[in-house]
Amino acid sequence: MKAKRIFQIVAAVTIMGGNITGTASVLESEEAFSRLLPIPQKVMVGEGRFRIEKSFAVKVSGQPDDRLYGAASRFLRRLDQRTGLFLPQDYVEKGETLESVGLEISVKRPGEVKLGEDETYFLSVEAGIVRLSAETDLGAMHGLETLLQLLSADEQGYYFPVSRIEDSPRFPWRGLMIDSARHFMPLDLIKRNLDGMAAVKMNVMHWHLTEDQGFRAEIKSFPKLHEMGSDGMYYTQDEMREIVAYAADRGIRVYPEFDVPGHATAWLVGHPELASLPGPYEIERGWGIFDPTLDPTKERVYEVLEAVFTEMAAIFPDEYFHIGGDENEGHHWDQAEHIQAFMKERGIADNHELQSFFNKRLLTILEKLDKKMVGWDEILQPTMPTNIMIHSWRGRDSMEAAAKQGYASILSNGYYIDLMQPASEHYLVDPLPSDIDLDEEERARVYGGEATMWSEHVTLETVDSRIWPRTAAIAERLWSDASIRDVEDMYRRLDTIALQLEELGLTHIKNRDMMMRRLAGGYDIEALRVLADVVEPLKIYRRNADLSYRSFSPYTLLPDVAVADAKDARRFRALVDAYLETGHAADKAAVESMLNVWRTNHASFARLADRSPALREALPLSEALRDLATLGLAAMGGESPDAAPVLERAREPVAKVELQVVDGVERLLEK
Amino acid sequence: MKAKRIFQIVAAVTIMGGNITGTASVLESEEAFSRLLPIPQKVMVGEGRFRIEKSFAVKVSGQPDDRLYGAASRFLRRLDQRTGLFLPQDYVEKGETLESVGLEISVKRPGEVKLGEDETYFLSVEAGIVRLSAETDLGAMHGLETLLQLLSADEQGYYFPVSRIEDSPRFPWRGLMIDSARHFMPLDLIKRNLDGMAAVKMNVMHWHLTEDQGFRAEIKSFPKLHEMGSDGMYYTQDEMREIVAYAADRGIRVYPEFDVPGHATAWLVGHPELASLPGPYEIERGWGIFDPTLDPTKERVYEVLEAVFTEMAAIFPDEYFHIGGDENEGHHWDQAEHIQAFMKERGIADNHELQSFFNKRLLTILEKLDKKMVGWDEILQPTMPTNIMIHSWRGRDSMEAAAKQGYASILSNGYYIDLMQPASEHYLVDPLPSDIDLDEEERARVYGGEATMWSEHVTLETVDSRIWPRTAAIAERLWSDASIRDVEDMYRRLDTIALQLEELGLTHIKNRDMMMRRLAGGYDIEALRVLADVVEPLKIYRRNADLSYRSFSPYTLLPDVAVADAKDARRFRALVDAYLETGHAADKAAVESMLNVWRTNHASFARLADRSPALREALPLSEALRDLATLGLAAMGGESPDAAPVLERAREPVAKVELQVVDGVERLLEK
């Protein structure tokens, strides 16, 4: 394992001054380089250490945007909070006179928070000083995050290892979509996730603001939209401005999505006259694809949309604007006589063409507002002009097709983090794989991608644990060189970044214990933890196949405590690998030790469930784990028990989760 | 222990229908009654259980304020989140038709969120239905919290035990002061603490908004106050309104404090013309008592104060308004010639009289605004009228004196939770102890008390762990009967409520592990936890005796992880008690087991500190714990080692914390 890890890093590293012979030992002694995420384009490792002393201070020179002073001050605080040095500099300020400088940042010009801005940075750690230089403050802020990741310690204290890093992103569009519509996401939650994005060098937040389940943006000209469509849970215009400013301070663009003409029930609660069929309408409480649809034949619809877009254009300065456009099945259009008549009259052949008609009207509005239209795959219709951008969610084919036809595009297919797939799945999805059939010009139209946090099955308690750390793997895919694809190495670094992200207030780790304490009714959670660490929530769309979940369902149970990469399942796989490869007694003992914990856990879990009825539905799962472990131990002891019924039962989903250690045990049986 | 606990509860309990013989067994089988906090005035225990089924729904009747529908809906969600029942009722709404009702709430009239409003409630749990009735929705909301505390489980599932509870508060003023000025406290933090207050039936938030270190309220007529006095960290008027509304929805009054004429440096940054001596002034970054003081001789000062108070009076509807008035040492007054001349001219004898002169001007302004003036002890001067309220922080004497002189008062002396004293200290402080020398009329002037969360040494990461759970002990003191004073029983219930408070988003438990993970630099935290669980931060004002701390110091180190009631120290005390009382082998083994953990922990801790320099300052502490444990084990083994040097060293504060297990070991030695 060790040799492999070093090899992995050497791939992206050269030694300063060409002293190649020292590579392995320098890398071994400087673990910091093997923790970087995303991996920079070029790392040159030197020898020596910059010591971080109590007198460490930061000086900024050049012409950055003011945001850099705030970013440098935050950097200082995070450094101080980790090291406990009591650094005396309160704020990094313009034109400060400093007695000594530890980090000198120089920036040529203010960065513009817009697509394609220069994000390059150069970081040089010498034994006496750290220098960070960049064309824009956006690049410099990325460099600050890299520098924090380099923080190391030895017997003398904290230091940064001597090195030079040259870095810039592979894709200019590295996004996270947050769905604030299905479950409302409070302001502080959005902010801490923006901080998390900045930490892994992401630069776009796509804000999904309307859905069947909620209209979340204050619209002053048509206040019934948010007043009647949100259960009182919406963002005021001041609050949206606050988020835009907070993001811009971190070099992150924010652009809104107003999903039309489908996914629009919440619009219709206050304005049933916009609907294709007569109302009344109520806020949708279930999950799925629903029929209520805006009526493309009514001028009133365009009047309201223009008002909404105009108000929002004033709040979101970004040049892109997302109109959704997905999953409109057109049932209400089919049922509305006046719409059928309208289509006939104008020679509109089908619902696809009708939606294009609708989209073109929207395009006119957006162009007046100087906005570029973005929509999901479905808006790509032959009659649409190529100045719109396609957001690919249904498959990479549509992205390729779009690029060939002259459309810009971003990828989200493969980055649906709500589907609870492991980080490895997302990590290997590349918007521009080496075998893609696109020429240079077409490739340039693929701007990047977005992780999409659809929020049916997340709440403010769990959403961070669905976004992080997996989104960091996607961030690396979009930032680092295409050749960086070692899954095991990514997981190792993900474990580190997951801990660092906590300092930004993210709750992906800490909320889990809290939720287990509630679930255990105040009793000791250890037996629950053992179980939760080997299960994952049902993946893809299986969790709600029985339609048991609605907006206010208790998302506080075992599947909500479980995460997409079950910690002990991952560990077990690695141990089984090692044991099967080496046959060593120590590896065998490690596997047996895990199996023994699982074998004996059920008794404790059953006692806990006795006192905490909310856990009882998981009893069969705990039993299945016990039986599976017993089976594995028997196999390792040389017995040949009847495995099939146990394995079958262990593969059965229970309580909306499934065991992730069945394959490992099966491999032990096959040995 | 068990017998004692039941005795404790029986004191507040009678059996429905007079069936006294069943007391002990009913209480033993219904642990819920022994978990209530604060303990209600009257609990009548019946037999039987109300089963909480999936169909459980809530109906409201009568004439409550609309806030009760929101409160009932939140009750439902919390119940569902704990039980996982998937309750179908989305919201409790006015005039709903329900198929079946589990909880019927009836309220006579809308409650007013003001001092002295009726907060009584009657809760009746029968096997078939739960009834909650109250004069006002404020009382009903208290009843909902009590009902949630009654949630119990048996082999059939969740239930509420049959009972009747009649309850009302002992004091009408049960407050928490949050200091948002020294360290800024974000909106979501304030909100979750309001939820915590509601859970333990507190009803006043006192919001400390200005200090030498920050002016935190937006003032439209004098914007330089917040713009230049806050580092950009202030509450907009909309945000303050939002907090007032959020609190009112939970039956909690909010009133502001603008602390003058001292503690006022931040006012002077933008308005040096208000100062007693010429500026310029800068935001203060250190902690302590500072000299900058408003100038009571200038009309401009009253003009600004009138503007500030007028804007704030429009935002805070409460009839009380706090003007601080504390710790003005008058040094700048002494040094200002024009002030000395002013005093001479008007025959003002000393600084106390000058402050009274100033306060009377403020009183005139506040009376125009229909506000009652509140101030710290210092404002109590012979010439002040009795329509002001005294907030006693310096001692109970001043409170008694105030009551005798005709002033209303509230107590905070003894409730200074920033001083990191154990919950037991605060718990036994009674605003009206039985031996107080006041007559009936004078006693009626003592309205209650406030826990005060001064924020020098807390940040948004740690503040919840300083407020909770200790504030719940103060809440009980102010709500429950004066006879409820069993410290051990309080601690037992505090452990339970601490877990329940987590569901409101409070971070008092979960942030601790996160902070330890950061401090351990990503390595395993167990050795750190062992140490952290037996130490407490330096108490009273000793933590910053060396003035090492400032606004931006790293409040992320061992004293910040430590809490005021060290968990294992408390456990150790109890085990030593049991062992010394009984001499039983099992008790002995339990004590030895703890000592053995401490004896062997140092090796692990030293390894951790090797890799995490921020922990190195605690090495002597960890060694002292090892030596102390070795000493204790030797004593238990019948040896008589030389204890004095070890004990002395173990009592020495290290890294701003102190070991809390020295007395326990000493008692083992004395045995």
Side-chain angles (χ1 to χ4, degrees):
Chain A
M1 288 295 276
K2 191 100 201 227
K4 193 172 166 193
R5 187 203 321 173
I6 289 171
F7 175 77
Q8 161 64 19
I9 297 305
V10 171
V13 156
T14 59
I15 296 291
M16 284 164 79
N19 174 18
I20 296 293
T21 53
T23 312
S25 68
V26 167
L27 287 169
E28 266 190 313
S29 62
E30 299 297 359
E31 289 213 357
F33 298 112
S34 65
R35 286 197 304 263
L36 295 175
L37 190 162
I39 290 183
Q41 304 304 338
K42 199 167 176 190
V43 179
M44 287 159 282
V45 177
E47 285 187 23
R49 298 172 174 192
F50 172 90
R51 296 279 155 202
I52 308 162
E53 309 287 353
K54 194 182 156 53
S55 61
F56 183 89
V58 180
K59 184 181 166 62
V60 172
S61 62
Q63 301 294 330
D65 184 274
D66 278 354
R67 72 170 68 87
L68 185 59
Y69 296 96
S73 301
R74 292 193 300 275
F75 163 87
L76 261 184
R77 293 285 80 73
R78 284 161 72 193
L79 184 66
D80 204 17
Q81 286 166 0
R82 290 191 199 176
T83 60
L85 285 168
F86 288 76
L87 304 174
Q89 194 177 16
D90 295 320
Y91 284 97
V92 179
E93 283 172 299
K94 212 179 282 193
E96 241 175 322
T97 341
L98 293 166
E99 281 185 23
S100 77
V101 173
L103 166 62
E104 205 171 272
I105 309 176
S106 88
V107 165
K108 289 202 185 126
R109 62 172 175 84
E112 272 191 90
V113 183
K114 61 176 284 191
L115 181 65
E117 178 56 293
D118 190 321
E119 298 179 90
T120 309
Y121 68 91
F122 301 89
L123 185 61
S124 154
V125 180
E126 296 171 24
I129 193 162
V130 181
R131 289 199 183 85
L132 170 60
S133 60
E135 172 76 15
T136 72
D137 39 86
L138 305 188
M141 289 196 293
H142 293 316
L144 288 173
E145 297 293 343
T146 300
L147 186 56
L148 267 178
Q149 290 184 9
L150 284 179
L151 178 65
S152 306
D154 63 13
E155 66 290 341
Q156 287 178 55
Y158 290 100
Y159 70 91
F160 298 123
V162 165
S163 51
R164 274 191 226 143
I165 293 179
E166 300 176 14
D167 202 9
S168 58
R170 179 175 168 219
F171 291 103
W173 193 301
R174 305 178 306 280
L176 169 64
M177 189 213 75
I178 296 182
D179 174 2
S180 286
R182 289 183 172 88
H183 275 115
F184 184 67
M185 301 293 161
L187 233 53
D188 59 303
L189 185 157
I190 303 285
K191 286 183 181 174
R192 67 184 183 237
N193 277 286
L194 286 165
D195 282 310
M197 292 171 66
V200 295
K201 304 184 171 59
M202 299 184 96
N203 66 354
V204 190
M205 180 181 118
H206 163 184
W207 207 356
H208 187 78
L209 285 167
T210 64
E211 261 305 332
D212 298 301
Q213 294 84 5
F215 189 104
R216 307 298 182 191
E218 180 192 24
I219 304 297
K220 296 195 174 177
S221 51
F222 291 96
K224 278 196 261 176
L225 286 169
H226 63 276
E227 284 172 3
M228 298 180 67
S230 75
D231 297 308
M233 289 182 283
Y234 62 88
Y235 306 103
T236 65
Q237 297 203 351
D238 277 348
E239 287 171 338
M240 289 183 280
R241 267 189 214 98
E242 191 179 329
I243 290 297
V244 169
Y246 191 92
D249 275 348
R250 283 143 186 86
I252 297 172
R253 302 160 43 209
V254 182
Y255 75 112
E257 176 182 351
F258 286 80
D259 198 353
V260 286
H263 288 280
T265 310
W267 299 63
L268 309 175
V269 182
H271 289 280
E273 80 278 11
L274 307 180
S276 300
L277 292 181
Y281 291 87
E282 286 188 353
I283 294 176
E284 180 58 52
R285 305 285 180 208
W287 308 128
I289 302 176
F290 302 97
D291 291 335
T293 312
L294 299 187
D295 183 341
T297 72
K298 286 183 190 147
E299 280 312 305
R300 169 76 169 170
V301 166
Y302 302 105
E303 185 193 320
V304 172
L305 285 169
E306 178 153 4
V308 169
F309 290 4
T310 304
E311 287 190 32
M312 292 301 108
I315 286 169
F316 296 95
D318 200 69
E319 57 184 337
Y320 289 85
F321 199 103
H322 207 304
I323 56 101
D326 55 317
E327 298 183 318
N328 169 28
E329 298 181 342
H331 296 153
H332 279 200
W333 289 355
D334 296 340
Q335 291 165 44
E337 276 176 33
H338 73 282
I339 294 179
Q340 294 306 312
F342 180 90
M343 289 168 73
K344 203 165 168 188
E345 191 182 312
R346 313 224 169 184
I348 295 174
D350 58 19
N351 286 339
H352 291 303
E353 271 190 34
L354 183 57
Q355 190 161 344
S356 282
F357 166 87
F358 173 79
N359 286 342
K360 279 186 211 150
R361 294 287 305 260
L362 266 49
L363 189 59
T364 312
I365 297 171
L366 288 176
E367 283 176 342
K368 256 202 301 197
L369 297 167
D370 260 336
K371 297 292 181 194
K372 292 185 181 163
M373 181 191 280
V374 189
W376 301 101
D377 306 44
E378 288 94 328
I379 73 163
L380 178 54
Q381 297 293 335
T383 60
M384 290 301 284
T386 56
N387 61 349
I388 63 171
M389 190 173 95
I390 305 304
H391 191 168
S392 170
W393 74 281
R394 293 197 299 192
R396 239 215 336 264
D397 293 353
S398 68
M399 188 171 197
E400 221 174 304
K404 281 194 186 298
Q405 292 170 45
Y407 294 96
S409 67
I410 53 171
L411 183 68
S412 276
N413 179 272
Y415 300 143
Y416 265 43
I417 50 178
D418 62 313
L419 301 186
M420 302 309 285
Q421 293 170 288
S424 53
E425 298 262 346
H426 303 305
Y427 188 58
L428 295 177
V429 174
D430 193 323
L432 278 179
S434 52
D435 61 352
I436 199 169
D437 176 28
L438 293 179
D439 64 26
E440 203 53 39
E441 199 181 330
E442 289 159 355
R443 294 169 75 94
R445 291 191 194 111
V446 176
Y447 288 164
E450 287 183 3
T452 43
M453 185 66 258
W454 299 110
S455 69
E456 282 95 339
H457 303 301
V458 297
T459 65
L460 51 90
E461 281 183 354
T462 60
V463 64
D464 291 0
S465 74
R466 276 53 186 141
I467 299 177
W468 307 106
R470 288 181 303 152
T471 295
I474 298 172
E476 173 156 292
R477 172 63 43 237
L478 297 171
W479 178 280
S480 301
D481 190 77
S483 64
I484 308 285
R485 294 177 68 85
D486 182 324
V487 167
E488 282 310 309
D489 186 65
M490 175 276 291
Y491 270 121
R492 188 182 48 72
R493 288 177 296 118
L494 218 52
D495 287 345
T496 301
I497 198 84
L499 293 173
Q500 291 173 355
L501 287 167
E502 282 198 287
E503 76 189 6
L504 303 168
L506 289 162
T507 63
H508 53 300
I509 299 175
K510 66 189 183 184
N511 270 12
R512 202 163 171 249
D513 278 10
M514 177 274 285
M515 294 174 70
M516 288 199 272
R517 287 189 285 266
R518 175 175 47 204
L519 201 41
Y523 296 101
D524 187 87
I525 62 174
E526 203 42 42
L528 172 55
R529 187 199 302 280
V530 167
L531 188 62
D533 280 349
V534 294
V535 300
E536 293 172 9
L538 290 185
K539 293 174 191 303
I540 319 292
Y541 293 105
R542 288 186 294 141
R543 179 160 178 185
N544 199 27
D546 60 359
L547 300 180
S548 55
Y549 287 102
R550 307 170 73 246
S551 306
F552 294 105
S553 294
Y555 286 101
T556 52
L557 307 178
L558 187 54
D560 309 292
V561 167
V563 294
D565 283 292
K567 191 177 120 204
D568 282 353
R570 186 144 67 82
R571 206 176 129 226
F572 184 63
R573 274 194 292 277
L575 289 176
V576 169
D577 279 349
Y579 165 56
L580 294 182
E581 204 182 303
T582 67
H584 287 167
D587 292 326
K588 185 179 181 196
V591 172
E592 283 173 342
S593 159
M594 291 196 87
L595 290 171
N596 271 316
V597 169
W598 299 335
R599 187 177 57 80
T600 55
N601 190 62
H602 179 64
S604 315
F605 185 82
R607 267 196 306 279
L608 181 59
D610 259 0
R611 294 180 292 189
S612 194
L615 286 173
R616 285 180 199 162
E617 58 170 355
L619 280 169
L621 190 79
S622 174
E623 274 168 22
L625 179 64
R626 176 197 60 197
D627 296 346
L628 188 68
T630 308
L631 185 69
L633 285 164
M636 290 178 80
E639 298 171 41
S640 305
D642 180 14
V646 173
L647 292 174
E648 195 181 330
R649 191 171 168 217
R651 286 195 206 282
E652 205 59 40
V654 175
K656 307 282 187 182
V657 302
E658 44 196 356
L659 286 172
Q660 296 295 326
V661 291
V662 190
D663 290 351
V665 170
E666 198 165 23
R667 289 170 56 218
L668 292 174
L669 291 163
E670 285 161 5
K671 201 203 168 197
Chain B
M1 287 294 278
K2 191 97 201 229
K4 193 172 168 192
R5 184 197 332 169
I6 289 170
F7 175 77
Q8 161 63 22
I9 299 305
V10 171
V13 157
T14 60
I15 296 291
M16 284 163 79
N19 174 17
I20 295 294
T21 53
T23 312
S25 68
V26 166
L27 286 169
E28 266 190 315
S29 63
E30 299 296 358
E31 289 213 358
F33 299 111
S34 65
R35 286 196 302 263
L36 296 174
L37 189 162
I39 290 182
Q41 304 304 338
K42 200 168 175 189
V43 179
M44 287 159 284
V45 177
E47 285 187 25
R49 296 172 174 192
F50 172 89
R51 296 278 155 203
I52 307 163
E53 310 287 353
K54 194 182 156 53
S55 60
F56 183 88
V58 179
K59 186 183 165 63
V60 171
S61 63
Q63 302 295 330
D65 183 275
D66 279 353
R67 72 170 68 88
L68 185 58
Y69 297 96
S73 300
R74 291 193 300 275
F75 164 86
L76 260 183
R77 293 284 80 74
R78 284 162 72 193
L79 185 65
D80 204 17
Q81 286 166 0
R82 289 191 199 176
T83 60
L85 284 168
F86 288 75
L87 304 174
Q89 195 177 16
D90 295 321
Y91 285 97
V92 179
E93 284 172 301
K94 210 179 283 191
E96 242 175 321
T97 342
L98 293 166
E99 280 185 22
S100 78
V101 173
L103 166 63
E104 206 170 271
I105 310 176
S106 87
V107 165
K108 289 202 184 126
R109 63 172 175 84
E112 272 190 272
V113 183
K114 61 177 285 190
L115 181 65
E117 177 57 291
D118 191 321
E119 298 178 88
T120 309
Y121 69 91
F122 302 89
L123 184 61
S124 154
V125 181
E126 295 170 25
I129 193 162
V130 181
R131 288 198 183 85
L132 170 60
S133 60
E135 172 76 15
T136 73
D137 38 87
L138 305 187
M141 290 196 293
H142 294 316
L144 287 173
E145 296 293 343
T146 300
L147 186 57
L148 267 178
Q149 291 183 10
L150 285 179
L151 178 65
S152 305
D154 62 13
E155 65 290 340
Q156 288 178 55
Y158 290 100
Y159 70 92
F160 298 123
V162 165
S163 51
R164 272 191 228 146
I165 293 179
E166 300 177 12
D167 202 10
S168 58
R170 179 174 168 220
F171 291 104
W173 193 301
R174 305 177 307 280
L176 169 64
M177 188 212 75
I178 295 182
D179 174 2
S180 288
R182 289 184 173 86
H183 276 116
F184 184 67
M185 302 292 162
L187 234 54
D188 60 304
L189 184 156
I190 304 285
K191 286 183 181 173
R192 67 183 183 238
N193 277 286
L194 286 165
D195 282 309
M197 291 171 67
V200 296
K201 303 183 171 61
M202 298 184 96
N203 66 353
V204 190
M205 179 180 117
H206 163 185
W207 207 356
H208 189 77
L209 285 167
T210 64
E211 261 304 334
D212 298 303
Q213 294 82 6
F215 190 103
R216 307 296 182 193
E218 181 192 24
I219 304 297
K220 297 198 171 175
S221 51
F222 291 95
K224 279 196 259 176
L225 286 169
H226 63 277
E227 284 171 5
M228 298 180 67
S230 75
D231 299 307
M233 290 181 282
Y234 62 88
Y235 305 102
T236 65
Q237 296 204 351
D238 277 348
E239 287 171 338
M240 289 183 279
R241 267 189 214 97
E242 190 180 328
I243 291 298
V244 169
Y246 191 92
D249 275 347
R250 284 144 185 86
I252 297 173
R253 302 161 43 210
V254 182
Y255 75 112
E257 176 181 353
F258 286 79
D259 197 353
V260 286
H263 289 279
T265 310
W267 299 63
L268 308 176
V269 183
H271 289 280
E273 80 278 11
L274 307 180
S276 299
L277 292 180
Y281 290 87
E282 286 187 353
I283 294 175
E284 179 58 52
R285 306 284 180 208
W287 307 129
I289 301 176
F290 302 97
D291 290 335
T293 312
L294 299 186
D295 183 342
T297 73
K298 287 183 188 147
E299 278 314 304
R300 169 77 168 168
V301 166
Y302 302 106
E303 185 192 322
V304 171
L305 285 170
E306 177 153 3
V308 169
F309 291 3
T310 304
E311 286 190 33
M312 293 301 108
I315 285 170
F316 296 95
D318 199 69
E319 57 184 335
Y320 289 85
F321 198 104
H322 207 303
I323 55 101
D326 55 318
E327 297 183 319
N328 170 27
E329 298 182 342
H331 296 152
H332 279 199
W333 289 356
D334 295 341
Q335 292 164 42
E337 275 177 35
H338 73 282
I339 295 178
Q340 294 306 311
F342 180 92
M343 289 169 73
K344 203 165 167 187
E345 190 184 312
R346 312 223 170 184
I348 296 174
D350 57 20
N351 287 338
H352 292 303
E353 270 190 34
L354 183 57
Q355 189 162 345
S356 283
F357 166 86
F358 173 79
N359 287 341
K360 278 185 210 151
R361 293 289 304 263
L362 268 49
L363 189 58
T364 313
I365 297 170
L366 289 175
E367 283 175 343
K368 255 203 303 198
L369 297 167
D370 261 335
K371 298 292 181 193
K372 292 184 181 162
M373 180 191 281
V374 189
W376 301 101
D377 305 42
E378 288 94 329
I379 72 163
L380 178 54
Q381 296 293 335
T383 59
M384 290 301 285
T386 57
N387 60 349
I388 62 171
M389 190 172 95
I390 304 303
H391 191 168
S392 170
W393 74 281
R394 293 197 299 191
R396 232 204 353 254
D397 292 353
S398 67
M399 187 171 199
E400 218 172 304
K404 281 193 186 302
Q405 291 169 46
Y407 296 96
S409 67
I410 53 171
L411 184 67
S412 277
N413 180 272
Y415 300 143
Y416 264 43
I417 50 178
D418 62 312
L419 301 185
M420 302 308 285
Q421 293 170 287
S424 53
E425 298 262 346
H426 304 304
Y427 188 58
L428 295 177
V429 173
D430 192 323
L432 279 179
S434 52
D435 61 352
I436 200 169
D437 176 29
L438 293 178
D439 65 26
E440 203 53 39
E441 198 180 330
E442 290 159 354
R443 294 171 74 93
R445 292 191 194 112
V446 176
Y447 289 165
E450 287 183 3
T452 43
M453 186 65 257
W454 299 108
S455 69
E456 283 94 339
H457 302 301
V458 296
T459 65
L460 51 89
E461 282 183 354
T462 59
V463 64
D464 291 0
S465 74
R466 276 55 187 141
I467 300 177
W468 308 106
R470 287 181 303 153
T471 295
I474 298 172
E476 173 156 292
R477 172 60 47 236
L478 297 172
W479 178 282
S480 301
D481 191 76
S483 65
I484 307 285
R485 293 177 67 85
D486 183 325
V487 167
E488 281 311 308
D489 187 65
M490 176 275 290
Y491 271 120
R492 189 182 48 73
R493 289 177 295 119
L494 218 52
D495 288 344
T496 301
I497 197 87
L499 293 173
Q500 292 172 354
L501 288 167
E502 280 198 289
E503 76 189 5
L504 304 168
L506 288 162
T507 63
H508 53 301
I509 299 175
K510 66 189 182 183
N511 271 12
R512 205 167 168 246
D513 277 11
M514 177 275 286
M515 294 174 70
M516 287 199 273
R517 286 189 285 267
R518 175 174 49 204
L519 202 41
Y523 297 100
D524 187 86
I525 62 174
E526 203 42 43
L528 171 56
R529 186 199 303 280
V530 167
L531 188 63
D533 279 350
V534 295
V535 300
E536 294 172 8
L538 290 184
K539 294 173 192 299
I540 319 292
Y541 293 105
R542 287 186 296 139
R543 179 160 177 186
N544 199 27
D546 59 1
L547 300 180
S548 55
Y549 287 102
R550 307 170 73 245
S551 305
F552 294 105
S553 295
Y555 286 102
T556 52
L557 307 177
L558 186 56
D560 308 293
V561 167
V563 294
D565 283 291
K567 192 178 119 204
D568 283 352
R570 187 146 65 84
R571 206 175 128 226
F572 184 64
R573 274 194 291 276
L575 290 176
V576 170
D577 279 349
Y579 165 57
L580 294 181
E581 205 183 304
T582 68
H584 287 168
D587 292 327
K588 186 178 180 195
V591 172
E592 283 173 341
S593 159
M594 291 195 88
L595 290 171
N596 270 315
V597 168
W598 299 336
R599 187 177 58 81
T600 56
N601 189 62
H602 180 63
S604 316
F605 185 82
R607 266 195 307 278
L608 181 59
D610 258 0
R611 295 180 291 188
S612 195
L615 287 173
R616 286 183 199 161
E617 59 170 353
L619 279 169
L621 191 79
S622 174
E623 275 168 22
L625 179 63
R626 175 197 62 197
D627 296 345
L628 189 69
T630 308
L631 186 70
L633 285 164
M636 289 179 80
E639 298 171 40
S640 306
D642 180 12
V646 174
L647 292 174
E648 195 179 330
R649 191 173 167 216
R651 286 194 206 283
E652 206 58 40
V654 175
K656 306 284 187 182
V657 302
E658 43 196 355
L659 286 171
Q660 295 295 327
V661 291
V662 191
D663 289 352
V665 171
E666 198 166 21
R667 288 170 55 220
L668 292 174
L669 290 162
E670 287 161 3
K671 200 203 167 195

